[in-house]
Amino acid sequence: MRLLISFAALFLSVLLLQLSSGGVGPLDALSGLTLDFSKQQIGLLGSAHFLGFFIGCWWAPRLMGSVGHSRAFAAFTAAGAIGLMSHMLVVDPYAWALMRIASGMCVAGCYTVIEAWLQAKVTNQTRGRAMGVYRIVDMTGSLAAQMVISVLEPASYVSYNILAIICCAALLPITLSTVKQPETPGSPRLRPRLAWDRSPLAAAAVIVAALSSASFRMVGPVYGQQVGLNTEQIAYFLSAFVLGGALAQYPMGWLADKYDRRWVLIWLSIAAIASSAVTISSAGLGTIGIMLAAGLFGLTTFPIYSVAAAHAHDFATDDERVELSAALMFYFALGAIAAPYLASLLIESYGPGALFMMIAAGHVLLVVFGLTRMRARPSPLDRTRYTYAPRTSFLIGRLTGKSRKRDKDS
């Protein structure tokens, strides 16, 4: 309880930030459809968000070093709020893309500040519990954000204003907290080659994970609208994906600790291919069938990033973990920038099912690459413990690195 109270301000800011940032993606997609944006332009908005996310991940540690945690958090929150409130002042897809870059920077910057603050305050005794609560809060906020759009009218100033108010409210817990501001941590070097050197399969897997999640969350509302779902049903459709991913974490973690992680990745990809086919087929099975298919899709695709990260850390030394986590985030950001725009192009040319055909094709390539890598070298006997890896900032490795204890009996 003392732990929860001491981090209450940070966790409340996370919850509010997720509600705001998680809601803008689907709201933008639905608003774009209402305003007759092309599907290609809607996909561009999702890609712009992840471009801003990457910029924020890189810039945030440096800004914290210049102005401190609280001021950096305020600056990023202000950028996100300005981007939200500007939507209905300038109704143009390319102007909205610039605003989404601001929202992506807000998400990455604020999470960087929060995770740096958590890292400075946790101890080895409280790290596991703090990360457990952090994961629950983050997942709860993400799930609630998908439901928020069911009560927000697309292309409405009021809707964007509500999200901007929630974004600004995330400022209050941290700026009013009496907890002493910690020292600014050093920014990890960004070494993308490190992830490829340690595990080419893990680097490829996080790109495919981005292909799955970024395209679904940013372009999923377009798919939902084209298969006949209304706004409320689209909210449930997106929520089912997040809920399926949350439920998968424990069983996939158990499997990843018990069996060769390369086989876990391969079978997850095979399951993702099957769930993509089921999702395409479910379009004619009614609303409940579509929801169940979305949950199955989240169950099979969401854990891939964490399993891939665990596999990469099996080949890393303790002093490489922070930079390795940042390198994996870099590959995820690359995939997430490309995926929504590519998915929207395919949907515009070939129909809604093309979204899941693209995702299935990515997983087919991952299966082939995984089987190839299994012939290149054996699985390490001295493995690290599976740890849920949020895709939030380049500093997340500082929080999860010490949780990755080696288990020589695995």
Side-chain angles (χ1 to χ4, degrees):
M1 183 58 67
R2 287 195 300 271
L3 176 73
L4 291 177
I5 292 172
S6 65
F7 291 143
L10 296 177
F11 291 148
L12 181 56
S13 288
V14 168
L15 187 62
L16 293 170
L17 184 66
Q18 267 287 17
L19 281 173
S20 175
S21 63
V24 68
L27 180 61
D28 262 5
L30 294 173
S31 297
L33 292 170
T34 301
L35 296 169
D36 294 325
F37 291 178
S38 70
K39 296 175 182 63
Q40 178 182 349
Q41 291 168 335
I42 292 172
L44 178 64
L45 300 180
S47 293
H49 173 86
F50 285 105
L51 175 60
F53 176 82
F54 175 74
I55 295 171
C57 283
W58 176 83
W59 185 34
R62 292 156 180 81
L63 184 62
M64 279 195 300
S66 300
V67 302
H69 291 65
S70 296
R71 289 179 179 177
F73 191 89
F76 283 115
T77 304
I82 291 169
L84 286 166
M85 290 188 290
S86 300
H87 270 69
M88 299 313 297
L89 298 178
V90 184
V91 181
D92 177 82
Y94 301 104
W96 279 26
L98 293 177
M99 298 169 196
R100 288 300 299 278
I101 290 176
S103 71
M105 288 174 57
C106 170
V107 174
C110 290
Y111 268 108
T112 300
V113 174
I114 289 168
E115 289 169 3
W117 213 314
L118 282 173
Q119 166 62 20
K121 299 299 181 182
V122 297
T123 65
N124 288 336
Q125 290 72 34
T126 61
R127 185 181 304 275
R129 282 169 289 168
M131 281 302 297
V133 176
Y134 182 45
R135 176 176 63 184
I136 292 171
V137 171
D138 183 58
M139 284 285 192
T140 301
S142 180
L143 186 61
Q146 312 311 310
M147 297 303 301
V148 163
I149 65 167
S150 66
V151 296
L152 296 179
E153 181 183 352
S156 165
Y157 174 78
V158 173
S159 298
Y160 285 101
N161 200 37
I162 289 172
L163 292 182
I165 289 171
I166 297 173
C167 183
C168 290
L171 270 169
L172 298 178
I174 282 187
T175 54
L176 296 179
S177 174
T178 58
V179 177
K180 183 181 178 181
Q181 183 168 296
E183 294 182 6
T184 303
S187 175
R189 287 185 299 166
L190 184 55
R191 299 166 57 197
R193 182 65 184 269
L194 177 63
W196 187 264
D197 287 343
R198 293 297 169 269
S199 175
L201 177 59
V206 298
I207 293 175
V208 174
L211 182 78
S212 304
S213 64
S215 59
F216 184 91
R217 297 183 75 166
M218 297 299 169
V219 189
V222 176
Y223 173 88
Q225 189 258 358
Q226 292 212 325
V227 298
L229 300 180
N230 59 35
T231 300
E232 183 177 0
Q233 291 168 338
I234 289 173
Y236 285 113
F237 177 67
L238 297 174
S239 299
F241 166 77
V242 176
L243 182 60
L247 294 176
Q249 290 304 318
Y250 180 80
M252 289 304 111
W254 181 82
L255 289 172
D257 279 343
K258 187 173 179 62
Y259 298 104
D260 188 330
R261 285 167 180 168
R262 296 170 300 180
W263 276 118
V264 175
L265 282 172
I266 289 169
W267 282 108
L268 273 174
S269 276
I270 292 172
I273 295 166
S275 67
S276 295
V278 169
T279 306
I280 295 172
S281 303
S282 71
L285 299 178
T287 304
I288 294 178
I290 293 174
M291 302 304 166
L292 292 175
L296 178 63
F297 181 75
L299 191 78
T300 56
T301 59
F302 207 88
I304 287 178
Y305 184 94
S306 294
V307 176
H311 181 61
H313 281 278
D314 288 343
F315 298 97
T317 60
D318 288 340
D319 59 351
E320 291 176 332
R321 301 209 184 284
V322 174
E323 291 180 356
L324 178 58
S325 296
L328 291 171
M329 278 289 300
F330 171 81
Y331 284 106
F332 180 84
L334 287 184
I337 290 169
Y341 187 71
L342 178 59
S344 64
L345 287 177
L346 292 173
I347 290 176
E348 197 158 43
S349 299
Y350 302 106
L355 167 63
F356 293 97
M357 291 177 66
M358 177 195 76
I359 293 170
H363 284 282
V364 168
L365 293 176
L366 184 59
V367 169
V368 173
F369 189 55
L371 292 172
T372 302
R373 289 301 305 169
M374 290 191 73
R375 301 182 64 179
R377 63 180 175 184
S379 178
L381 297 177
D382 184 15
R383 297 192 298 171
T384 59
R385 181 181 300 172
Y386 174 89
T387 300
Y388 168 68
R391 285 91 77 178
T392 46
S393 82
F394 284 168
L395 296 186
I396 190 63
R398 297 191 187 280
L399 279 170
T400 59
K402 292 184 179 180
S403 300
R404 297 185 184 276
K405 297 178 180 178
R406 291 196 176 273
D407 184 2
K408 295 185 178 182
D409 294 328
S410 62

